Amino acid sequence: MTNQVRVRYAPSPTGHLHIGNARTALFNYLYAKHFDGKFIVRTEDTDEKRNVEGGEESQFYYLKWLGIEWDEGADVGGEYGPYRQMERLDIYQKYIDELLERGLAYKCYMTEEELDAEREEQRAKGQAPKYSGAHRDLTAEQIAAYEAEGRKPSIRFRVPDNKTYTFPDIVRGNITFESSDFGDWVIVKKNGIPTYNFAVAIDDHLMQISHILRGEEHISNTPKQMMIYEAFGWEPPQFGHMTLILNEDRKKLSKRDEHIVQFIEQYRNLGYLPETLFNFITLLGWSPVGEEEIFTKDQLIEIFDPDRLSTSAAVFDPQKLKWMNNEYIKALDMETFIDLTLPYLVKEGKIPADMDEDTRVWAEKVVALYKEQLRYGAEIVELTELFFRKHIDYDEACMKVLREEQVPEVLQVFTDKLIHLDDFNKDTIKAQIKATQKETKHRGKKLFMPIRVATTGQMHGPELPMAIELLGKEVVLARLDKILTQLGA
């Protein structure tokens, strides 16, 4: 085993990059970079029924989008390849043959129906279902008879009797299993493809993986992998099992839970920034010293300490993610902010993709109004809605403002001043609001709220003079006229 830290993330090409898998990749990446080690991405593609076309490319793309890069992998190569398990079948075969030859593994000819019946019988007796070992010591005659029937064997590992397996978990301390907890388990399926626990142990040893950080659902896999290490006299890596990620109801985050957006691609499409997700996901099950929560990638690499991996479940808080993304958005330069937001208005048909220069300047001013409050890119469509609707349906809260006794006077005086305003911009509009105040003697909410509600249809919003400028003189006067008529002024 090398003294260098070598960690791996081993995705299956079965679909999109999930928050949980992204966290696994991220923690391994931070671990490697913090200790000047190597980060390897290995594709575990032996479950061919679940693999999807483009699955590996999708995983790679969104890992890189998050800011995670690797030193070795199927796309970048490396001295320990191949990095796809289906390209390593010849490698596995050598070790399968050795286990068979040494009697540490054997062929099992039981059918799925026979195995199901065995498990049902065990359950009926109140026993935990596990393989009984029925084919553990078949005679040559029995093997010949099964093969004459055309049965395809799986290959099972012969689990040692009365053996205790203990490993020091980086997160949880010592974890112990008894070999009696396990039946002889399949290392090669009937189709000749190695199973996960066998292939992963071979790969981790040959690729000199020193540390393995993964989800707690893999705890029960660890003793099986330790059995393979022991069978070949290898030193196992150090294991660390991260806690679950829970939703706001403190239930396990399920891919079927539609309350929370769970795939990195979805967050990218919604206009979350990769830097935000890198930061946010790192805090799901790990905490820095102190109260600070906003960090750059380089800062996280520097301060990452595996001793601070949490022993309690992480709670995924969508509102905290929105807050954090807003913090990152506020720090963007205006050009980057505009590049983030305008495509959403184009997609929704609010502005044309081939807009002229005047339209673009106008659109840039509109989105700029919301830079301080925008939580994710797609939200710009909802926030800017007042600039794109032709008619306003004033809700009851707005009408309550507009029914106040001073409103007709305020709106009429403001209308008269705008009608004669040739240079229609935020500064001249602001001056006319002040002039309306001076003439009507109404100030504060009595002045601003009626003007805001009448012109924008909203009780709250961006800087009022700028909003009125961007709505345009014709639209604003039409809205004021409509309200005045409605009020009988």
Side-chain angles (χ1 to χ4, degrees), residues 167-175 219 222 238-242:
F167 64 93
D169 191 281
I170 294 170
V171 180
R172 299 158 188 270
N174 286 343
I175 298 178
I219 290 177
T222 307
Q238 287 187 254
F239 297 98
H241 292 90
M242 299 171 288

Side-chain angles (χ1 to χ4, degrees), residues 130-148:
K130 66 179 182 180
Y131 178 63
S132 66
H135 285 198
R136 210 174 202 229
D137 298 299
L138 294 176
T139 64
E141 290 77 13
Q142 288 173 313
I143 292 173
Y146 284 132
E147 293 197 345

Side-chain angles (χ1 to χ4, degrees), residues 72 81 93 235 286 320 411 488:
E72 301 169 28
Q93 192 61 50
E235 179 186 349
W286 178 84
K320 181 177 178 179
L411 296 187

